[in-house]
Amino acid sequence: MKQGGEGLEAKDQKILDEILESHSYDQTAVIGIMQDIQKVYRYLPEEMLCYIAKKLHLSEAKVYGVATFYENFSLEPKGKYIIKICDGTACHVRQSTAILDEIRGFLGVTGAKPTTEDMMFTVETVSCLGACGLAPVCTVNDVVHPAMTPEKARALIQELKESPEAGEEANDEN
């Protein structure tokens, strides 16, 4: 890990300082701080973990331990649209695997490489989304899409690709 967040750009340091200040530089708020960082960057970059460790007077190992303990934190960049396909029992018996295969094939991603090159989509499987009565389900940025089929999944991805916000944000980030 890079000591103390070396290599951070000034704009990123400013964003991190604002997040830290909003949490009063409170060590006990490290989870909330990481959540706020992940909202902005869609993952937790290593140099940012080092920076907050230094600013909170915590060891980098402690901060990294928290980041790796909780499943909702990601140390890898994720796409604008995070698609989670449920593979719990109810969804699995209703063919969630076919939906997963359709989405992965359509986007050209795999389990080992879940994010598209353009950083628009990340595809993940989860054990349960808690919507068994609506199975099979998937979520897009935590919005539940019930009674999914491979055809509905393809249409949903196409709709997201064609939405005006998709192109605008992708252009803004470059």
Side-chain angles (χ1 to χ4, degrees), residues 22-117:
S22 75
H23 290 274
S24 304
Y25 290 85
D26 182 357
Q27 291 180 344
T28 64
V30 71
I31 292 172
I33 291 166
M34 288 182 189
Q35 288 171 325
D36 289 351
I37 292 168
Q38 189 160 285
K39 280 180 195 167
V40 174
Y41 295 95
R42 294 194 294 245
Y43 79 112
L44 297 172
E46 179 181 311
E47 58 274 4
M48 292 186 184
L49 293 178
C50 297
Y51 185 81
I52 66 168
K54 179 180 175 185
K55 292 291 188 171
L56 294 175
H57 306 289
L58 294 169
S59 71
E60 290 179 2
K62 173 90 171 169
V63 171
Y64 185 79
V66 171
T68 56
F69 179 79
Y70 292 100
E71 190 176 310
N72 281 342
F73 290 131
S74 175
L75 300 179
E76 298 295 322
K78 291 193 177 193
K80 175 184 177 184
Y81 298 108
I82 300 171
I83 302 166
K84 295 180 181 179
I85 294 96
C86 183
D87 198 36
T89 303
C91 289
H92 186 81
V93 299
R94 293 189 178 112
Q95 307 302 313
S96 63
T97 305
I99 296 160
L100 175 63
D101 292 344
E102 179 68 23
I103 292 173
R104 282 182 175 165
F106 189 55
L107 292 175
V109 298
T110 64
K113 188 189 161 300
T115 302
T116 57
E117 293 291 328

Side-chain angles (χ1 to χ4, degrees), residues 6-21:
E6 293 171 19
L8 277 179
E9 292 184 22
K11 69 177 177 115
D12 292 325
Q13 280 188 8
K14 184 176 188 283
I15 290 168
L16 291 177
D17 287 340
E18 288 171 0
I19 290 170
L20 288 162
E21 188 173 313

Side-chain angles (χ1 to χ4, degrees), residues 141-163:
N141 294 350
D142 298 322
V143 175
V144 176
H145 296 271
M148 193 54 58
T149 65
E151 296 75 23
K152 285 182 182 177
R154 180 178 279 269
L156 175 61
I157 302 301
Q158 193 61 45
E159 183 182 318
L160 292 170
K161 282 183 169 192
E162 293 171 358
S163 73

